[in-house]
Amino acid sequence: MRTMNRTSISVCLLHLLFTTATLARDDGRYANSPLKPWFESLQSEFGKCCEDSDAYVVSEPNWKSDHGQYSVRIDDEWVLVPDGAVIKQPNLAGRTMVWKLYMDGHPRVRCFIPGSMT
């Protein structure tokens, strides 16, 4: 379980650094990252963000906000972000990120945090 948690955190941190999804292995390179405890603490009403899914950095054309309701494009499909998935604490990473999962073959949002410039 502890190895799985470390792997999930490493994957989340790797996705923060790159704008496209990549697979990662827990090789310990993020063990001393100052953002590691912050990533570990992130959770929405649907659970911990980095525990079961990977974070993806989302560029401006792939997310939008309309009167506080967010939508994000995942795999060329616009997905409405449930209010319970929005992380309300300050975004220490600065970039807009989404943690996704799939239900019935369609992407859904587990966690979403808008960039600090929103």
Side-chain angles (χ1 to χ4, degrees):
M1 181 75 166
R2 187 177 176 103
T3 301
M4 178 62 112
N5 192 24
R6 285 184 189 164
T7 301
S8 296
I9 291 166
S10 293
V11 170
C12 286
L13 289 172
L14 262 180
H15 287 294
L16 171 66
L17 297 175
F18 301 103
T19 58
T20 58
T22 59
L23 295 175
R25 295 188 183 169
D26 182 15
D27 60 6
R29 83 176 84 174
Y30 297 108
N32 296 318
S33 168
L35 290 181
K36 182 179 179 199
W38 177 74
F39 271 105
E40 288 176 333
S41 74
L42 293 179
Q43 64 181 29
S44 72
E45 289 181 12
F46 304 112
K48 291 195 150 288
C49 298
C50 285
E51 198 163 85
D52 297 324
S53 59
D54 302 336
Y56 292 86
V57 174
V58 184
S59 61
E60 182 110 13
N62 293 313
W63 72 278
K64 56 189 173 185
S65 175
D66 184 21
H67 296 78
Q69 180 64 65
Y70 296 100
S71 296
V72 62
R73 187 182 355 225
I74 302 173
D75 300 335
D76 294 324
E77 184 176 332
W78 281 100
V79 179
L80 189 64
V81 176
D83 289 339
V86 178
I87 299 169
K88 307 236 187 314
Q89 66 178 307
N91 185 341
L92 300 182
R95 296 181 172 176
T96 300
M97 292 181 287
V98 65
W99 289 258
K100 64 183 180 178
L101 55 96
Y102 290 87
M103 295 177 70
D104 300 324
H106 295 281
R108 300 289 183 256
V109 176
R110 178 183 182 94
C111 299
F112 176 84
I113 190 164
S116 59
M117 299 299 180
T118 61

